[in-house]
Amino acid sequence: MSGMERKELRIVGFLCNWCSYGGADTAGVSRFKQPTDLRIIRVPCSGRVDPLLVVKAFMEGADGVLVSGCHPRDCHYAEGNFYARRRLEVLKRFLPFMGIEPGRFEYTWVSASEGARWQKVVTEFTNQIHRLGPIRRKGDGGGDIR
Amino acid sequence: MEILDKLKEDIRGELEGVSLVIGWERGYDSLHTTPLFIRCPEDIDRLIWNPLCVHNLASYLPWFKGRRVGILVKGCDSRTVIQLLQERLIQREEVVIFGIPCQGVVDLAKIRARVDCSQVRGVSFKGDKIAIETPQGQRELPLEEILATKCISCQYPTPLIYDHLAGEAISSHRPPGLLFAEVEKIEKLDPKERFAYWQQELQRCIRCYACRNACPLCVCQDFCAADARDPHWLSQKTGIGEKFMWQILHAIHLAGRCTDCGECERACPMDIPIQRIRKKINKEIKELFGYEAGVNLEVTPPLYTFQVEEPAIKEREW
Ligand code: SF4
Ligand code: SF4
């Protein structure tokens, strides 16, 4: 689905330089059709993704945040994604407690050769965020978080 | 021997070999206590021990790194000492630990809610009651009703680490099921209600950072991420977003480290139930990694390590 058919939402993707960014590139080079809501921020490693970067993105109005790194055992820095997995899992279980709906944050692994997998991840994640809608609408009882 | 007498005797025996011993003394009135720094034998006479000794004195330990100091700990406080040792923020040879088996300390906010405490003339303890003398007369309250929330679900009344123990070890008679009771209440709400709940509570936050300053495991002092301009995690804006961000920042920096001592919430001048946020993370950490902070010296805190296969983490399939 393209931005023409529905209003784009603000989705932030933190992709590691060595695998997932390459995977997204592979998808692009292969001309796989993908939704355009996701803005990619390239980071050296999923282990670089401080959970607070995710929180900050939500606080600044992101509707969804995705972190993607190398598959476990394939980290360019050997163990960055092992640490990331623990931190991000804790974060994923914690965010809903503060009122950020489950599903707005996900983390996953995509290798540089998995263009098709990247297409699937980004499409499914984007659809999931569209089902949830914008994170806060004007007139929501709670008001704007900012 | 009374607990207090035993403490004094043990401190007397160790005082020569340490720079100071940290305990509690009477504060500005008989309802309030304040930390006591014992440097000479005469100071020992000012030491007190009763359910008003709320402070987690282990907060001071990282400050005294490099010097040998004595410290009085309740069961809960001892977990802070262990966690600090686990993280190598203090050295075992540099602390002499005076453990106290504890039956619970009070929550002053709960007392204030029932008694006008502006002019307290005297406080005494009679069995399981506290008697407070004010110009309006004497009020007796059952201790059980004014205990700190952490004490109602306390699993470790006897310190888990000590060099001296003042009295007989006691075991917990509190149901472990209560540990996460408040967290479970919030979990039952739907996300929108949860957001509204936190918005209502956190809007009172004045970002004084008393919660941070009181937390014994917030050890960065002048290098706190909350004060940094680069990265600028928090701005000078006063909106609710910054308050959320601050609370999440603190809670995440305590993930796998928070020992549930409750100092953050106790210090909050706005009476915001912020410990629940930390407790939620503790609950998930326990479920994922079977880890409780500050109970076992030998274990590496879970976010400082990993397993190649994580049995408890069910990753999403796409
Ligand atoms: S102590 Fe209370 S008011 Fe102060 S920053 Fe912490 S939560 Fe906010
Ligand atoms: S976050 Fe609160 S309960 Fe946890 S260690 Fe710090 S002061 Fe204690």
Side-chain angles (χ1 to χ4, degrees):
Chain A
M1 223 187 278
S2 77
M4 305 290 276
E5 292 151 50
R6 60 183 176 188
K7 195 176 178 304
E8 263 196 22
L9 292 177
R10 284 174 291 190
I11 306 179
V12 180
F14 293 99
L15 273 55
C16 85
N17 181 41
W18 305 99
C19 292
S20 295
Y21 194 84
D25 202 32
T26 306
V29 169
S30 320
R31 303 197 167 270
F32 293 156
K33 217 164 150 21
Q34 301 169 46
T36 50
D37 309 50
L38 184 114
R39 272 77 151 175
I40 295 174
I41 297 174
R42 179 156 61 150
V43 291
C45 175
S46 54
R48 165 65 181 91
V49 182
D50 186 328
L52 291 176
L53 290 171
V54 176
V55 178
K56 185 82 173 163
F58 279 120
M59 293 301 148
E60 297 293 329
D63 301 305
V65 181
L66 176 73
V67 175
S68 185
C70 308
H71 286 273
R73 294 174 195 273
D74 271 344
C75 177
H76 183 77
Y77 305 102
E79 31 191 61
N81 56 0
F82 288 134
Y83 289 101
R85 179 168 57 188
R86 286 198 159 193
R87 278 179 218 146
L88 298 174
E89 179 66 21
V90 172
L91 181 70
K92 184 174 166 175
R93 289 161 172 246
F94 168 61
L95 287 176
F97 188 72
M98 299 307 289
I100 295 171
E101 288 112 320
R104 289 210 186 263
F105 168 67
E106 298 279 4
Y107 67 95
T108 191
W109 323 115
V110 174
S111 80
S113 61
E114 293 176 320
R117 179 176 158 89
W118 172 255
Q119 179 196 32
K120 187 157 186 275
V121 165
V122 73
T123 307
E124 278 189 25
F125 186 64
T126 306
N127 289 341
Q128 180 173 318
I129 300 303
H130 274 275
R131 279 195 297 277
L132 289 164
I135 192 156
R136 310 259 170 257
R137 292 179 208 82
K138 282 236 158 53
D140 261 0
D144 196 326
I145 185 153
R146 297 173 75 193
Chain B
M1 203 191 295
E2 285 280 317
I3 290 183
L4 185 60
D5 296 330
K6 170 87 166 86
L7 281 171
K8 288 181 174 174
E9 184 186 290
D10 291 337
I11 294 171
R12 229 165 247 124
E14 292 276 6
L15 197 53
E16 208 146 289
V18 297
S19 308
L20 58 124
V21 176
I22 315 170
W24 303 269
E25 68 175 324
R26 189 193 138 126
Y28 65 87
D29 68 14
S30 43
L31 190 59
H32 292 82
T33 60
T34 193
L36 166 69
F37 298 87
I38 301 170
R39 293 191 167 84
C40 57
E42 297 79 77
D43 293 341
I44 299 179
D45 300 331
R46 280 157 44 206
L47 184 74
I48 58 167
W49 164 249
N50 62 38
L52 300 173
C53 298
V54 289
H55 315 81
N56 178 356
L57 303 170
S59 302
Y60 290 109
L61 288 180
W63 296 24
F64 290 112
K65 215 177 160 191
R67 287 203 263 165
R68 191 156 183 268
V69 298
I71 177 111
L72 272 61
V73 296
K74 308 183 283 289
C76 50
D77 308 337
S78 77
R79 289 180 60 187
T80 303
V81 176
I82 294 179
Q83 182 70 24
L84 288 169
L85 287 167
Q86 277 174 281
E87 296 186 30
R88 301 197 189 88
L89 291 163
I90 56 172
Q91 305 292 326
R92 184 65 183 94
E93 320 75 73
E94 288 178 2
V95 278
V96 180
I97 306 165
F98 302 90
I100 310 172
C102 170
Q103 305 276 8
V105 292
V106 304
D107 181 339
L108 283 178
K110 289 185 188 167
I111 298 182
R112 274 197 305 268
R114 296 172 61 172
V115 181
D116 174 8
C117 295
S118 49
Q119 292 181 55
V120 174
R121 289 185 177 157
V123 174
S124 54
F125 295 92
K126 299 175 186 163
D128 50 8
K129 288 205 175 75
I130 178 174
I132 303 169
E133 191 92 43
T134 71
Q136 288 83 44
Q138 205 194 53
R139 274 291 298 278
E140 279 190 8
L141 302 171
L143 271 174
E144 191 63 26
E145 289 171 19
I146 50 150
L147 281 186
T149 309
K150 66 173 173 183
C151 303
I152 297 169
S153 58
C154 174
Q155 298 303 302
Y156 305 103
T158 301
L160 297 169
I161 188 171
Y162 53 81
D163 299 303
H164 303 275
L165 188 64
E168 291 290 311
I170 47 179
S171 47
S172 171
H173 60 282
R174 304 286 184 178
L178 278 181
L179 221 47
F180 297 114
E182 305 143 313
V183 170
E184 282 153 9
K185 245 186 251 162
I186 299 172
E187 284 171 342
K188 289 206 183 83
L189 305 174
D190 74 41
K192 279 218 159 39
E193 292 171 320
R194 264 179 250 156
F195 183 73
Y197 169 79
W198 284 118
Q199 196 166 30
Q200 205 201 348
E201 294 291 347
L202 292 184
Q203 70 186 3
R204 296 202 299 282
C205 174
I206 51 175
R207 278 209 281 144
C208 62
Y209 298 150
C211 45
R212 169 192 75 183
N213 296 357
C215 175
L217 286 152
C218 257
V219 289
C220 303
Q221 298 190 11
D222 290 345
F223 303 95
C224 178
D227 299 327
R229 291 290 169 96
D230 186 17
H232 208 182
W233 294 114
L234 289 163
S235 78
Q236 273 60 41
K237 279 188 282 184
T238 54
I240 188 85
E242 308 294 301
K243 300 175 184 187
F244 265 82
M245 187 70 196
W246 158 242
Q247 283 304 321
I248 296 176
L249 188 155
H250 189 257
I252 284 181
H253 283 178
L254 269 293
R257 309 177 60 232
C258 168
T259 62
D260 226 353
C261 71
E263 289 293 88
C264 47
E265 189 167 315
R266 190 177 66 78
C268 177
M270 306 307 287
D271 289 331
I272 307 173
I274 50 172
Q275 201 188 344
R276 290 167 199 187
I277 304 174
R278 285 81 179 149
K279 266 187 183 262
K280 168 65 180 174
I281 297 189
N282 290 353
K283 182 169 177 254
E284 297 305 329
I285 294 270
K286 196 167 175 183
E287 225 171 88
L288 281 167
F289 311 116
Y291 181 82
E292 253 188 306
V295 300
N296 187 344
L297 259 182
E298 309 305 319
V299 178
T300 308
L303 296 187
Y304 298 164
T305 181
F306 61 83
Q307 279 185 292
V308 173
E309 306 290 342
E310 298 278 7
I313 300 182
K314 304 269 170 292
E315 278 170 40
R316 172 177 174 160
E317 308 280 342
W318 293 86

